[in-house]
Structure formats: C-alpha cells, structure tokens
Amino acid sequence: MRVVAILPILIILGITVAAATTTNSSLLNSTQIQSYAQKIPAPPSNLFQEILYYIGHGYNWLVGIIQNILQITLLKQDPGLANTYANIIAWLIPLTALYILLTVLEVARRFIGYIIAAGWIFLIVVLFLAR
C-alpha cells in the first residue's frame, strides 16, 4: 500500500529533476507574463447578475424536476406537498454535493501537501549535490 502512495511522489520528483536540469530560457519572465495578462479581456459589467440569474434558473429547474418526480411517485394522493418537499430536497442536494467535494478536497490537500514537502526536500538535496 505504501508503494502505491510513494509512486506519485517519485513521478513528481522525476519531473522536478527534469525541470531543474533544463535551461531557464524556456521559462516566462515577469514582462512576458504582464504582456499576456494585458491581452485578457475584461469581464462584462453585469457578469455577477448573469451568474445569479443562471443559478436561480438552475435551482427552479431542479425544483421542477424533483416536484414532478414526487408527484408521479411518492405523493400521488397529495401533490400539493410535492412543492414543499421539492424545495427542501433542492436545498439538500447542493449542500450534500458541497460536503462531498470538501471531503475529497481535504484528502487531496493532504496528498498535495506531502508532494510539496517531498518536492522541497528533493530540491534542497539537489541544490546541495549540485554544489
């Protein structure tokens, strides 16, 4: 099991060594980065309103789908309750997805932390050995 966990670290370290042995002419300098950044167009002035519109539209679409499913299946006798339950379910679905995403990101954060620590250690070792 530890071999599987160490394998990505070894791959990252190999990439680091390959990058450390290349010349600096292939890297971007700050002037090039600034020139590329100036070419990026500005966002539209009503971007935030458009994002909120699409979020609201998506929420209403999700509520409608859940409401139709509830009216057809579980709440045939009282379809009026479907709207209430559909709103509750529509709130719980993204919260659950966010919770799962944050859990996965926490695991990824730890894994990336190990890779960063190994990369710094490897870089320091390479610098001392290159001397």
Side-chain angles (χ1 to χ4, degrees):
M1 185 69 173
R2 289 184 178 242
V3 173
V4 174
I6 293 174
L7 184 63
I9 294 172
L10 292 176
I11 292 170
I12 297 295
L13 293 178
I15 293 170
T16 305
V17 169
T21 59
T22 60
T23 61
N24 286 340
S25 64
S26 64
L27 298 175
L28 292 173
N29 61 25
S30 63
T31 307
Q32 290 171 326
I33 293 173
Q34 287 175 354
S35 68
Y36 289 134
Q38 290 173 354
K39 293 179 183 177
I40 299 173
S45 61
N46 59 350
L47 179 66
F48 186 68
Q49 292 173 345
E50 287 183 24
I51 291 172
L52 288 179
Y53 169 76
Y54 287 120
I55 288 172
H57 189 67
Y59 174 77
N60 289 334
W61 178 76
L62 182 63
V63 168
I65 289 175
I66 295 170
Q67 185 176 359
N68 288 335
I69 291 172
L70 288 175
Q71 286 174 349
I72 293 170
T73 57
L74 298 174
L75 300 173
K76 288 181 183 178
Q77 288 79 18
D78 193 4
L81 290 176
N83 187 27
T84 304
Y85 289 121
N87 280 319
I88 294 170
I89 293 170
W91 273 101
L92 289 175
I93 288 173
L95 288 176
T96 305
L98 181 64
Y99 176 78
I100 292 170
L101 180 67
L102 290 175
T103 304
V104 169
L105 289 178
E106 177 67 26
V107 172
R109 187 186 66 85
R110 285 187 185 163
F111 183 71
I112 291 172
Y114 293 140
I115 292 173
I116 291 171
W120 278 106
I121 291 169
F122 186 73
L123 177 65
I124 291 170
V125 169
V126 167
L127 287 174
F128 281 123
L129 291 177
R131 209 165 180 228

